[in-house]
Amino acid sequence: MMQTGFFDWHERFEKLDRNGDPLLKLNQVVDWEMFRQPLEKIRHKERKSNAGARPYDVIRMFKILIIQSLYNLSDDRIEFQILDRISFMRFLGLGLGDRVPDAKTIWLFREQITEAGLIKPLFEKFDVCLRENGFLAQKGQIIDASIVAAPRQRNSREENERIKRGDIPEEWKEAKRRQKDTDARWTKKNGQNYYGYKNHISVDVKHKLIRDYEVTDAAVHDSQVFDQIIDESNSSRDVYADSAYRSEESVKRLKEEGFREHLQRKGCRHRKLTKREQRGNHTRAKTRSRVEHVFGVQAMMAGEMILRTIGIVRARAKIGLRNLAYNINRYSILGATG
């Protein structure tokens, strides 16, 4: 049996580089150490003894969560992929003889940063990095939302009605309660029913970077989080959104706050859109369609996101990590071409 030597690995890495390993670009462009200080907060608890294995480095664990989000992998699959793929090993700075975190350790780390409420601050910290490196929010912003599916619950109609009222059935045993997502909700879009959550995002027109986001259950109307995610720091006051966000109240509010609204208009049976309104929709759609690139890239890299977690707190963590991973990956592309 032939042994693999240093030059064999070197040759393999060179081939990866020639074929454009995207993870190499991430390491070249991103200063991962910027995340260390906030992440170290979860390690502040003093160890009771020096016995046992030392905890994994927080930056390495965080980078695992980023590639897990980029490729939409379960905890078990990301463990396997780290063991199997040399590109993942190189990205994480792991050698063949190094310990690899198992699925339970990865799950626990994500739980710890979720409980510490770190994901939104980490997202905001990276946004500061983007701005400091010249990627300011410019040319207006686009507001949109996508549905993120959650595992469908096999509840009776009566149980669903009680859950909507916030009344969890008392007859459910503790084990059953842990498996039931009572925060996710049903919604209908284009004639299809969906169960889960919504990822509401604000994207700047120039760079197509996510500048803010909110996560709600799927039944929350898009317009209800409109104000929360508008980016006041964008160099332009232009705001683009589809017709779901349009109402007399939203148009009035945007005007009062000094924004220029570019919200799509929607006709109905009793009032068809005029030719002028149709042309306006077509013109606005050219800019508004840039937000589809964000959702499209996320789907292209990772496929349709299906949550494997229970409850809105964990859903916010997983979706927030995916938004952050998108921005990090987008930055590596902009940095490489800028």
Side-chain angles (χ1 to χ4, degrees):
M1 183 176 178
M2 293 180 63
Q3 281 192 322
T4 304
F6 170 78
F7 291 105
D8 297 306
W9 286 112
H10 185 70
E11 184 180 352
R12 186 70 63 87
F13 285 138
E14 281 188 339
K15 286 183 178 179
L16 278 173
D17 296 345
R18 285 198 297 270
N19 288 312
D21 177 9
L23 297 182
L24 178 65
K25 290 182 181 178
L26 293 188
N27 273 344
Q28 289 172 338
V29 175
V30 178
D31 176 14
W32 296 100
E33 285 297 317
M34 78 175 82
F35 300 108
R36 183 173 295 281
Q37 186 177 359
L39 287 170
E40 288 286 1
K41 291 178 181 178
I42 66 172
R43 296 280 163 82
H44 280 175
K45 293 181 181 178
E46 251 185 72
R47 297 181 72 192
K48 294 182 180 178
S49 75
N50 291 323
R54 291 180 61 81
Y56 291 96
D57 179 67
V58 291
I59 296 298
R60 180 170 288 167
M61 294 301 300
F62 177 65
K63 290 172 75 174
I64 289 174
L65 296 186
I66 292 301
I67 53 173
Q68 180 183 39
S69 299
L70 281 175
Y71 298 104
N72 198 21
L73 299 170
S74 67
D75 295 334
D76 288 323
R77 291 303 299 172
I78 187 64
E79 178 191 353
F80 174 82
Q81 293 291 347
I82 295 168
L83 290 166
D84 186 60
R85 293 174 66 168
I86 61 172
S87 60
F88 278 27
M89 290 171 58
R90 180 171 68 166
F91 174 69
L92 298 170
L94 288 168
L96 285 175
D98 293 327
R99 290 189 306 145
V100 172
D102 60 20
K104 186 176 180 181
T105 302
I106 295 166
W107 174 87
L108 179 60
F109 182 78
R110 188 174 57 253
E111 285 287 292
Q112 288 172 330
I113 65 172
T114 299
E115 290 172 7
L118 289 179
I119 294 172
K120 195 66 178 280
L122 290 170
F123 178 92
E124 292 167 350
K125 188 173 187 66
F126 189 67
D127 188 62
V128 172
C129 168
L130 291 170
R131 295 171 192 270
E132 288 177 346
N133 283 278
F135 296 103
L136 300 172
Q138 296 177 331
K139 295 190 176 180
Q141 58 194 295
I142 312 163
I143 312 294
D144 207 346
S146 67
I147 298 169
V148 180
R152 297 190 176 191
Q153 307 293 295
R154 298 183 182 278
N155 303 324
S156 67
R157 184 172 296 178
E158 181 186 348
E159 286 174 333
N160 281 331
E161 289 300 320
R162 291 175 66 179
I163 290 169
K164 285 181 184 178
R165 298 194 301 268
D167 177 21
I168 308 303
E170 294 178 2
E171 61 271 20
W172 284 3
K173 294 182 179 179
E174 186 61 31
K176 185 174 183 177
R177 290 182 182 222
R178 285 198 297 267
Q179 299 300 317
K180 290 292 185 179
D181 192 335
T182 57
D183 295 329
R185 292 290 183 271
W186 287 96
T187 191
K188 182 173 282 190
K189 184 177 181 180
N190 299 327
Q192 281 192 302
N193 292 319
Y194 297 90
Y195 182 77
Y197 298 91
K198 272 186 184 178
N199 181 23
H200 307 261
I201 63 173
S202 172
V203 174
D204 76 275
V205 172
K206 181 173 182 179
H207 302 297
K208 292 187 283 190
L209 288 160
I210 301 172
R211 298 299 178 169
D212 201 358
Y213 72 90
E214 287 293 335
V215 177
T216 68
D217 67 70
V220 172
H221 195 271
D222 296 353
S223 61
Q224 289 183 247
V225 295
F226 195 28
D227 291 347
Q228 298 173 41
I229 57 176
I230 286 182
D231 180 16
E232 293 281 351
S233 68
N234 197 292
S235 64
S236 169
R237 305 303 282 175
D238 294 313
V239 177
Y240 298 83
D242 67 24
S243 57
Y245 295 90
R246 188 175 192 87
S247 67
E248 287 186 18
E249 182 184 353
S250 63
V251 170
K252 180 182 177 183
R253 196 161 56 247
L254 285 173
K255 187 176 181 180
E256 289 174 347
E257 294 174 6
F259 289 102
R260 291 184 292 272
E261 63 87 3
H262 301 276
L263 311 183
Q264 294 291 77
R265 286 164 172 77
K266 187 175 182 179
C268 60
R269 183 185 301 177
H270 304 293
R271 184 190 175 281
K272 303 292 184 182
L273 291 178
T274 65
K275 293 288 185 182
R276 182 180 178 183
E277 287 172 332
Q278 289 176 16
R279 288 195 300 270
N281 274 355
H282 181 71
T283 300
R284 285 186 290 270
K286 291 179 181 179
T287 299
R288 198 181 65 79
S289 64
R290 291 175 70 79
V291 75
E292 298 303 327
H293 173 272
V294 179
F295 296 132
V297 166
Q298 288 182 332
M300 180 180 67
M301 291 193 70
E304 180 186 358
M305 188 178 189
I306 299 176
L307 294 172
R308 303 177 181 92
T309 57
I310 301 294
I312 195 166
V313 173
R314 292 190 177 105
R316 285 182 178 134
K318 293 283 283 189
I319 295 169
L321 280 167
R322 190 170 194 180
N323 290 336
L324 174 54
Y326 166 83
N327 272 4
I328 289 174
N329 185 63
R330 178 71 180 153
Y331 175 58
S332 75
I333 296 169
L334 293 170
T337 58

